[in-house]
Amino acid sequence: MNSLQVCCGEFIRMILFLLNFVFWAAGGAILGIGIYVKVSIEKLPDANISEDTLNSAALFLITLGCIVFVVGLLGCCGSLTQNRCMLLLYFSLVTIIFLVEIILAITLYVKKDAVEDTFKKEFEDCMSQYNVAKNESQVCKETIDTFQTVLKCCGSDGPNSWEKFMDTLPDSCCAPNDSGCSSESAFSNGCFDTISDFVNSNTQYIGFGVLGIAVIQLLGMLFACYLRTYIMKREEYEPYTV
């Protein structure tokens, strides 16, 4: 192998290591935050988020953190030790994640209206169970209260959407310092419209974020493939390790 090939191979190896070191550190941070939220749920009484929502968010962060941590660790170790098996495993995992993301994105785009209708229907089903004394209804109540408090919205389409389910509005439809929530003091926007407006107004930023993640994943796959090929050629022509 000539000096140019060796230089390019070592440069790619360092770039791949640094890239995955960032992901490894980020994965560890996400995992740590998820574990902290999970063990501290009962110590957050002042949070305007239900315990069920916090628990779900903690589990999501732990799962996401584990995936990012493992993939980043494989990339770091594979590039640092120049282990072909680790690089192959890293390449395979990133490829699988990339394909799953593409399938998910296409599905959400094609079935956008169906997803919106399903979300609205499930939200209204929870509204109908808001005051029912059952465990599953308590989950619905906490979820709706979380949505309405955090997003500052009321009902699926506004305060009037509560009329067919309750005679009075939930306290979460109004600001925390309001005493006796009424249609005059309630948040005027519906939760469904609030979420739709947020997504539509930030579509450009969401698109750039998704595109950035896709580019990073593609670079990781290309670098891992190139580095593995470089190591195989070097071992073929040179019996020593650089």
Side-chain angles (χ1 to χ4, degrees):
M1 299 180 70
N2 57 49
S3 57
L4 180 61
Q5 289 176 312
V6 174
C7 183
C8 287
E10 291 302 308
F11 177 75
I12 293 296
R13 184 169 74 89
M14 292 307 300
I15 293 295
L16 185 62
F17 171 78
L18 292 175
L19 181 67
N20 283 280
F21 180 81
V22 173
F23 275 96
W24 172 75
I30 295 171
L31 180 60
I33 293 172
I35 293 174
Y36 173 78
V37 172
K38 180 67 175 175
V39 301
S40 303
I41 288 177
E42 296 181 355
K43 300 178 182 179
L44 300 172
D46 297 329
N48 292 324
I49 303 176
S50 68
E51 182 176 327
D52 182 70
T53 303
L54 282 173
N55 187 59
S56 299
L59 292 176
F60 172 77
L61 289 174
I62 291 172
T63 303
L64 178 63
C66 285
I67 294 173
V68 176
F69 184 86
V70 170
V71 172
L73 184 62
L74 276 174
C76 283
C77 294
S79 58
L80 194 62
T81 63
Q82 304 182 57
N83 187 296
R84 289 185 295 170
C85 292
M86 283 188 177
L87 289 172
L88 180 60
L89 183 57
Y90 168 80
F91 175 83
S92 301
L93 286 176
V94 175
T95 302
I96 292 172
I97 294 172
F98 183 73
L99 292 176
V100 170
E101 289 172 349
I102 290 178
I103 294 172
L104 181 61
I106 293 174
T107 302
L108 290 175
Y109 180 79
V110 173
K111 297 187 176 182
K112 177 183 177 182
D113 294 336
V115 172
E116 291 178 349
D117 292 341
T118 300
F119 173 79
K120 188 173 183 179
K121 181 179 180 300
E122 292 296 328
F123 193 89
E124 290 181 344
D125 285 344
C126 271
M127 290 173 63
S128 67
Q129 302 177 47
Y130 189 84
N131 276 337
V132 179
K134 291 182 180 180
N135 290 335
E136 57 270 22
S137 300
Q138 184 64 26
V139 173
C140 278
K141 182 179 185 300
E142 291 179 350
T143 301
I144 287 179
D145 285 341
T146 298
F147 269 105
Q148 295 186 152
T149 302
V150 174
L151 300 178
K152 292 180 171 50
C153 58
C154 184
S156 57
D157 298 310
N160 293 335
S161 60
W162 278 105
E163 291 180 356
K164 56 183 176 181
F165 304 116
M166 293 171 53
D167 295 330
T168 58
L169 294 175
D171 291 337
S172 57
C173 268
C174 297
N177 56 351
D178 284 354
S179 57
C181 189
S182 63
S183 57
E184 290 76 18
S185 59
F187 303 124
S188 58
N189 294 328
C191 294
F192 180 75
D193 293 334
T194 301
I195 295 173
S196 297
D197 291 343
F198 175 81
V199 173
N200 292 332
S201 61
N202 292 278
T203 301
Q204 182 178 2
Y205 302 106
I206 295 173
F208 282 136
V210 172
L211 181 61
I213 294 173
V215 169
I216 292 174
Q217 290 176 327
L218 283 173
L219 286 175
M221 289 187 287
L222 290 173
F223 288 166
C225 189
Y226 179 88
L227 182 58
R228 188 170 184 273
T229 303
Y230 161 74
I231 294 171
M232 291 173 65
K233 288 184 177 180
R234 190 193 62 197
E235 290 176 351
E236 180 180 352
Y237 291 103
E238 301 176 10
Y240 56 88
T241 302
V242 176

